[in-house]
Amino acid sequence: MKVRRKDISRIDLISVYLPGNYSDAFECSFLCKKEFTPDDFMLAFWTYSPKWIDYLFRLRDWIVKPFGIQAGSNRSKEKLKEAIMNGGNYGFVNVIAKSDNETLICADDKHLKMYFSIKLDKINPEQYNITVSSVVAFHNGLGYIYFYVIYPFHQLIVPSMIKHSIKKLLKSGI
């Protein structure tokens, strides 16, 4: 499985939030006979990460706590699943748009607003293409500093979580 960088397509739901202060997209193709939805991948992405990524998120939460930035590692999988599947919200994460092949969430905190999309295209009966896109808008200088400190980690974590989510869903489903 190879994850590649790409541009955000103008037909994606997330594109209305461009240009933002930062944006990126990663895509990966994989073979699968099972049926999946963007919601399935959104849920897998945010609730089933590798242990090393869980550790980084806990470390991040500890470091940013004095700055009043909301924690993200102590989430209820069931409440998040309910929000994603029903188009609702959980904590500071809101599902803001859905289509047959894309789910878009927004996480808004005092320092920045992040839009995060998972788009799932079925290429043929046994092949999918997944695109994970982010658009970030800084609210203030803290948002700028925060983002550029985590940026190198973002570049490692997102592709790893894409692969991990695919493997998790292929192995067992959600």
Side-chain angles (χ1 to χ4, degrees), residues 36-162:
F36 292 111
T37 68
D39 288 353
D40 295 328
F41 274 93
M42 186 70 77
L43 186 61
F45 191 91
W46 290 110
T47 60
Y48 295 99
S49 50
K51 296 287 183 210
W52 68 272
I53 292 174
D54 287 341
Y55 172 75
L56 285 176
F57 278 123
R58 285 193 303 276
L59 179 62
R60 170 237 176 246
D61 289 349
W62 179 77
I63 290 169
V64 301
K65 187 176 182 177
F67 301 100
I69 295 174
Q70 295 189 47
S73 62
N74 295 326
R75 359 178 229 281
S76 162
K77 290 180 183 179
E78 286 308 311
K79 289 180 181 178
L80 184 59
K81 180 178 182 176
E82 183 180 324
I84 290 170
M85 297 301 184
N86 297 322
N89 60 36
Y90 172 62
F92 62 99
V93 175
N94 298 296
V95 177
I96 58 172
K98 285 187 176 201
S99 68
D100 290 339
N101 68 334
E102 187 175 3
T103 298
L104 175 62
I105 64 171
C106 175
D108 194 6
D109 203 353
K110 72 179 194 177
H111 63 303
L112 58 76
K113 183 180 275 191
M114 177 198 63
Y115 300 94
F116 184 83
S117 163
I118 293 189
K119 184 178 179 189
L120 189 62
D121 293 308
K122 196 158 193 176
I123 307 303
N124 62 50
E126 295 185 5
Q127 184 177 4
Y128 284 98
N129 189 57
I130 186 170
T131 303
V132 174
S133 305
S134 304
V135 175
V136 180
F138 306 138
H139 291 317
N140 51 40
L142 178 60
Y144 179 85
I145 293 166
Y146 169 82
F147 184 79
Y148 284 104
V149 167
I150 68 155
Y151 172 78
F153 300 101
H154 175 82
Q155 299 300 306
L156 293 171
I157 289 172
V158 173
S160 293
M161 288 179 72
I162 291 169

Side-chain angles (χ1 to χ4, degrees), residues 34 36 44 48 164-174:
K34 295 179 181 180
F36 292 111
Y48 295 99
H164 189 77
S165 298
I166 291 169
K167 289 175 186 174
K168 172 67 178 167
L169 287 170
L170 292 178
K171 183 177 178 182
S172 63
I174 293 293

